[in-house]
């Protein structure tokens, strides 16, 4: 695709918001990471499913990025936000590829499609129940109880009081809201989860566009909810 100044700005905003969300999760388990102009890195291994580095601008220096993370132990990963790094020679392989997505603030609200009741998670007990619903198990303590705040909200869609859908909305330092960790099961479906989460975000942060990234069927659901793919990303996993 052709990268115009507007798309470039959106890609950078999406990458920055995602890095700030990753930093928030990492801080729940240890020291905060470090933000440089072209990348966020953390010298301490991040929790499962979260990267050790996120590039923030095209053309990030691979040597400088790798110098800021722990590549000795298993599980080190890098979110290559602009799909322009080649880390194969450094013992990494591509774990997955996805597309950054953008939904304008002026986009009409998608049809709800279900009668779920949506609200923000409050308190450690409810966060634990949210994580269990998201994880499909009993919860792992991945999300620290101090995470939810004014600008970081765990959204829950409930049926009969049970959490059956949800997502995480993050309002970082940029003029966007990041939406991630979307899930739906039982009485809910993915389209209903997108609709409910977007309606909750619009009520909380009116006038702000929403960004995130998805792949496969989830990308199709995001497009149905009014998102447009704006650029590729890759996640590299250290295997050597």
């Amino acid at each position: 695709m052709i990268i115009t100044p507007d798309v470039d700005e959106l890609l950078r905003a999406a990458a920055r918001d995602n890095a700030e969300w990753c930093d928030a999760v990492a801080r729940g388990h240890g020291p905060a990471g470090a933000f440089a102009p072209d990348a966020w890195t953390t010298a301490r291994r991040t929790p499962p499913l979260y990267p050790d580095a996120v590039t923030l601008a095209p053309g990030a220096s691979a040597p400088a990025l790798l110098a800021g993370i722990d590549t000795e132990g298993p599980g080190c990963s890098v979110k290559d936000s602009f799909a322009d790094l080649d880390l194969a020679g450094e013992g990494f392989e591509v774990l997955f590829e996805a597309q950054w997505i953008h939904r304008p603030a002026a986009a009409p609200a998608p049809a709800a499609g279900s009668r779920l009741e949506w609200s923000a998670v409050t308190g450690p007990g409810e966060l634990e129940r949210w994580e269990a619903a998201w994880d499909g198990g009993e919860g792992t303590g991945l999300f620290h109880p101090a995470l939810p705040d004014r600008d970081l909200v765990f959204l829950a869609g409930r049926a009969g009081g049970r959490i059956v859908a949800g997502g995480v909305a993050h309002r970082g330092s940029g003029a966007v809201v990041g939406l991630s960790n979307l899930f739906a099961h039982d009485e809910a479906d993915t389209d209903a989860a997108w609709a409910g989460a977007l309606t909750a975000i619009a009520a909380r942060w009116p006038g702000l566009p929403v960004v995130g990234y998805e792949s496969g069927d989830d990308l199709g659901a995001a497009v149905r909810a009014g998102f447009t793919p704006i650029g590729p990303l890759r996640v590299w996993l250290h295997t050597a």
Side-chain angles (χ1 to χ4, degrees), residues 76-118:
C76 177
S77 62
V78 172
K79 185 171 289 175
D80 178 7
S81 300
F82 300 85
D84 62 356
L85 294 178
D86 184 358
L87 301 180
E90 305 296 336
F92 287 79
E93 64 181 32
V94 176
L95 180 63
F96 69 85
E97 298 181 331
Q99 282 281 328
W100 291 109
I101 55 175
H102 163 251
R103 190 176 192 275
S114 72
R115 298 190 179 185
L116 300 182
E117 296 180 356
W118 284 83

Side-chain angles (χ1 to χ4, degrees), residues 56-153:
L56 303 176
S61 166
L65 182 150
L66 295 177
I69 61 178
D70 174 14
T71 59
E72 295 300 321
C76 177
S77 62
V78 172
K79 185 171 289 175
D80 178 7
S81 300
F82 300 85
D84 62 356
L85 294 178
D86 184 358
L87 301 180
E90 305 296 336
F92 287 79
E93 64 181 32
V94 176
L95 180 63
F96 69 85
E97 298 181 331
Q99 282 281 328
W100 291 109
I101 55 175
H102 163 251
R103 190 176 192 275
S114 72
R115 298 190 179 185
L116 300 182
E117 296 180 356
W118 284 83
S119 62
V121 165
T122 58
E126 192 167 47
L127 179 60
E128 185 176 351
R129 290 190 292 276
W130 184 98
E131 185 181 344
W134 166 76
D135 185 59
E138 297 181 357
T140 62
L142 175 61
F143 303 116
H144 192 276
L147 268 177
D149 63 21
R150 182 173 59 88
D151 293 323
L152 202 168
V153 181

Side-chain angles (χ1 to χ4, degrees), residues 189-208:
D189 59 36
T190 303
D191 287 347
W194 280 109
L198 288 168
T199 299
I201 288 171
R204 193 177 190 92
W205 294 290
L208 288 180

Side-chain angles (χ1 to χ4, degrees), residues 158-174:
R158 298 174 175 83
R162 293 186 306 109
I163 298 175
V164 297
V168 177
H170 177 257
R171 169 71 167 93
S173 60

